Amino acid sequence: MKVFLIGFMGSGKTSIGKKLAHFLKYDFIDLDKLIEVKTEMSIAEYFVKYGEEAFRKLEREVLQNTVYPEKIIVATGGGMPCYFDNMDWMNKNGITAYLSLPSKTLANRLENSKTERPLIQGLKGDELVEFVTRKLAEREVFYNKAKFSISAADLTAEKFTGYLNSTG
Ligand code: S3P
């Protein structure tokens, strides 16, 4: 089974993905990390040097051209499902799970996160909440195409596995 974790920045795709992979004895890949290894620069540096449009093309290429092991949990970047045919591609090639959280919770997590994220650089407080609320509303059109929609609040690997098993 190939499981693609999708959701907004700060929804915990990487952290729950690692736990889930450990629990199921699956491999784990973080596509953002893979991009950083391939380009030998951080995503923030890539945005500055080549811009968002180039990043989105690269993201698609890495998603769709990586050879995945049969048992894999894939954490994806927050914007990735919303560009090109990426959402359809993931639905064709694996099981998609949307990790959802309210925008206030996301904004709060992002404000306390140490990860550099180019889209929200310099935003905090009400401005950040507004940005997340607007962007999440746009993106949910795509996220809602996932096979599973799972609340990321208090999510454990055991609970997640229960969802995956619920439809066989
Ligand atoms: C992005 C999310 C980031 C990363 C890039 C753009 C986005 O990944 O791909 O900074 O457009 O939401 P995370 O969701 O892992 O933060």
Side-chain angles (χ1 to χ4, degrees):
M1 180 159 57
K2 293 186 189 70
V3 181
F4 293 97
L5 302 182
I6 67 165
F8 208 79
M9 296 174 265
S11 58
K13 294 159 295 195
T14 301
S15 96
I16 188 69
K18 282 185 182 162
K19 288 181 194 151
L20 187 61
H22 181 75
F23 183 73
L24 293 172
K25 300 192 171 58
Y26 274 32
D27 286 327
F28 172 78
I29 300 184
D30 182 328
L31 283 186
D32 278 343
K33 278 274 151 345
L34 194 58
I35 289 173
E36 294 188 330
V37 170
K38 278 183 193 282
T39 59
E40 296 181 341
M41 62 179 94
S42 72
I43 293 196
E45 285 164 347
Y46 192 93
F47 261 70
V48 170
K49 199 155 182 205
Y50 301 109
E52 182 171 356
E53 208 181 314
F55 174 74
R56 297 304 173 195
K57 286 190 185 146
L58 176 63
E59 205 177 32
R60 174 180 190 249
E61 191 184 302
V62 171
L63 168 74
Q64 301 196 16
N65 292 322
T66 294
V67 178
Y68 300 96
E70 206 31 63
K71 294 178 170 183
I72 182 84
I73 308 294
V74 185
T76 67
M80 195 274 282
C82 316
Y83 291 87
F84 308 109
D85 58 343
N86 292 338
M87 196 64 218
D88 291 339
W89 189 92
M90 288 188 282
N91 276 327
K92 252 188 226 138
N93 288 278
I95 291 174
T96 49
Y98 168 36
L99 301 184
S100 77
L101 280 176
S103 45
K104 278 228 168 88
T105 313
L106 289 168
N108 199 28
R109 283 189 181 198
L110 289 169
E111 193 145 1
N112 294 311
S113 161
K114 290 192 178 63
T115 309
E116 240 193 296
R117 290 181 166 98
L119 291 189
I120 54 167
Q121 226 172 14
L123 294 181
K124 53 183 190 244
D126 286 350
E127 256 181 13
L128 182 58
V129 176
E130 265 167 44
F131 173 85
V132 173
T133 306
R134 182 173 49 78
K135 208 69 177 165
L136 182 62
E138 280 168 29
R139 289 184 169 180
E140 277 201 319
V141 177
F142 299 91
Y143 296 160
N144 285 333
K145 292 186 183 172
K147 175 152 188 185
F148 296 97
S149 206
I150 301 174
S151 165
D154 306 318
L155 186 58
T156 60
E158 287 87 338
K159 256 199 230 174
F160 200 119
T161 307
Y163 279 107
L164 292 179
N165 290 334
S166 66
T167 59

